[in-house]
Every structure is written in structure tokens, then in C-alpha cells.
Amino acid sequence: MNLIFLGPPGAGKGTQAKRLIERFRIPQLSTGDVLRKAVADGTLLGLKAKPLMAAGQLVPDEIVNGIVEAALDTATYQKGFLLDGFPRTVPQAQALDAALEHRGRRIDHVLLLEVPMGVLVERLSGRETCPKCQTPYGKDSPPKRAGICDKEGERLVVRPDDQPEAVRRRMVEYETKTALLTGYYKARGVVRPVDGVGSVEDVEKRIIKALE
Ligand code: AP5
């Protein structure tokens, strides 16, 4: 199964992706996670991406397209994938289409997580993230020990792009560039809208139902 997770910043894409990959045994590919690792490792990619990400701006299409296309050819993603945070622009979606067609594959479902702006801002202002495995924690899904990742035992951090000014910019980027993808994929009948408000468990149940 080849899935895309679409939804604004803070909609719960990362939270739900971490649960779905265990349930469906398909790997997640989060361009945000790949870029944050590159920033942490101080690679050339990380150096280019760091100021853009901290300001809440998108990284250029050709960079992220290259990351995803290279990943599609690795053994990990041959039996399916869950794309989280990609595509984010129409040119990225077109590049993905071309890359999949070339490999005889296609997108089966686009999960669209719908959450109102007020809830998004509240969630992002309370988020802490594991710098190692990127698991997000929040008021409704706290770690067992305050400030420590359940899986890695690492001290949790606040992402630089969760500062209010960067959050505002990310919302604008979403509205002006990423929201257009709903229409792009609706034309193919693959969009599955899911109400993203409610407990993490309830949202997960809705996603499973939407995929049935
Ligand atoms: P990325 O990492 O993709 O971030 P995002 O899309 O802005 O999404 P978030 O990770 O902020 O939110 P989420 O929907 O995953 O929510 P989460 O599960 O954490 O991208 C970051 C940056 O990288 C971009 O700004 C850009 O610079 C760059 N980038 C990445 N991909 C790119 C691309 N394709 N092109 C160009 N640039 C790219 O949940 C949020 C909070 O809410 C958490 O605290 C969580 O615990 C809580 N929560 C989740 N679900 C619930 C619930 N049901 N009830 C209550 N709380 C909940």
C-alpha cells in the first residue's frame, strides 16, 4: 500500500504515521525527519535546509524531490510506503507521479487530516519532540517520564520551527502551496478526508475506517 499523509502543521501526521507503520507494517518516509537529521548531522543538505526550516519556509522542490526519489529505489520502500510531509507543492506531486510511473507504481490513498487552526496552534505550542526518533509528544500524548522519550530515553526538545513566528509562516506556506494538493488528488478519487480532532486513538480509528 502506498499512502500519502496530507494536512497542515500540527494536524497529527507524525503522531498517526508512527502508529500506522506498526499496524500496516509499511515504512514511513518523512521529509521533515530526513531534513532535521541532516541539520543535526551538519551535512551540506542540513546547512542549506537549516535557516529555511527555522523560518518556517519550504526547502526547494529539487532538494526534497531528490531525497524521495533516491529513497524509492532502496529496498526499504519496495513493498509500500507512507509519505509524511511530501509532496507539499504541485511540482513535488508531479515529480512524485513521474517517479512512481517510471517504477510501475502509484498512490493508493491520500489521507487528509482536517484540524481547525486554533487547535493546530495550541498543539504546536505544547509539542516536545525526540531529537533521535522524532516522536512528537503533547498534552494529550505525554511521555511516561516528563521531558524524556519513551522509546529512546533521550531528552525531548522544542523544534525551532515551533516558535510562534515560524508557525505563522508554516501555516501560510501550507495554505498557499500545500492545500492545492487536495484538488490535485481529488481529481483521481484517492483523497480520504479524516477528522483529526479528538483523542489520538479516536483519530487512528477514523483513519483505519477511511482506508477500509
Ligand atoms: P514537517 O516535519 O513535515 O512538519 P509539518 O508538516 O509542519 O508537520 P508537523 O511535524 O509540525 O506536524 P504533524 O502534522 O506531524 O503533527 P504532530 O503529529 O507532530 O516539516 C518541517 C519543515 O521541513 C517544513 O516547514 C519545511 O521547512 C521542511 N520540509 C519538510 N518536508 C518538505 C517538503 N516536502 N518540501 C519542502 N520543505 C519541506 O502533532 C502535533 C502535536 O499535536 C504533537 O505535540 C502531538 O503530540 C499532538 N497531537 C497529535 N495528535 C493529537 C490529537 N489527536 N489530540 C491532541 N494532540 C495531538
Side-chain angles (χ1 to χ4, degrees), residues 6-19:
L6 207 57
K13 304 183 294 295
T15 301
Q16 295 297 337
K18 300 261 183 287
R19 300 171 81 96

Side-chain angles (χ1 to χ4, degrees), residues 7-16 30-33 35-36 49 52-54 56-61 64 84-89 92 113 119-120 123-124 126-129 136-141 159 161-162 170 196-201 203:
K13 304 183 294 295
T15 301
Q16 295 297 337
S30 159
T31 43
D33 288 356
L35 291 167
R36 274 184 291 280
L52 295 168
M53 292 176 78
Q57 289 173 268
L58 293 184
V59 171
D61 289 339
V64 277
D84 165 11
F86 182 93
R88 252 181 158 94
T89 64
Q92 287 182 20
L113 271 184
V119 178
L120 297 172
R123 283 185 186 174
L124 291 177
R127 174 167 66 180
E128 289 186 304
T129 305
Y137 295 90
K139 197 162 53 74
D140 294 348
S141 52
R159 276 171 41 179
D161 61 348
D162 280 347
R170 286 160 65 203
V197 180
S199 71
V200 171
E201 291 74 20
V203 175

Side-chain angles (χ1 to χ4, degrees), residues 42 50 67 108 139 149:
K50 188 176 179 178
I67 292 173
D108 299 307
K139 197 162 53 74
C149 177

Side-chain angles (χ1 to χ4, degrees), residues 10 14 16 27 32 40 54 77 138 149 152 169 184 202:
Q16 295 297 337
Y77 299 101
C149 177
E152 301 290 342
R169 182 64 197 250
Y184 183 91
D202 283 348

Side-chain angles (χ1 to χ4, degrees), residues 88-144:
R88 252 181 158 94
T89 64
V90 170
Q92 287 182 20
Q94 289 166 336
L96 176 65
D97 279 346
L100 290 176
E101 199 182 327
H102 184 65
R103 291 162 179 81
R105 302 172 73 178
R106 65 183 165 83
I107 295 298
D108 299 307
H109 307 280
V110 175
L111 288 160
L112 174 64
L113 271 184
E114 297 176 316
V115 178
M117 179 66 79
V119 178
L120 297 172
V121 172
E122 194 191 324
R123 283 185 186 174
L124 291 177
S125 68
R127 174 167 66 180
E128 289 186 304
T129 305
C130 174
K132 196 163 177 196
C133 69
Q134 303 291 333
T135 298
Y137 295 90
K139 197 162 53 74
D140 294 348
S141 52
K144 293 190 181 93

Side-chain angles (χ1 to χ4, degrees), residues 156-167:
L156 303 177
V157 297
V158 174
R159 276 171 41 179
D161 61 348
D162 280 347
Q163 299 303 325
E165 192 46 46
V167 168

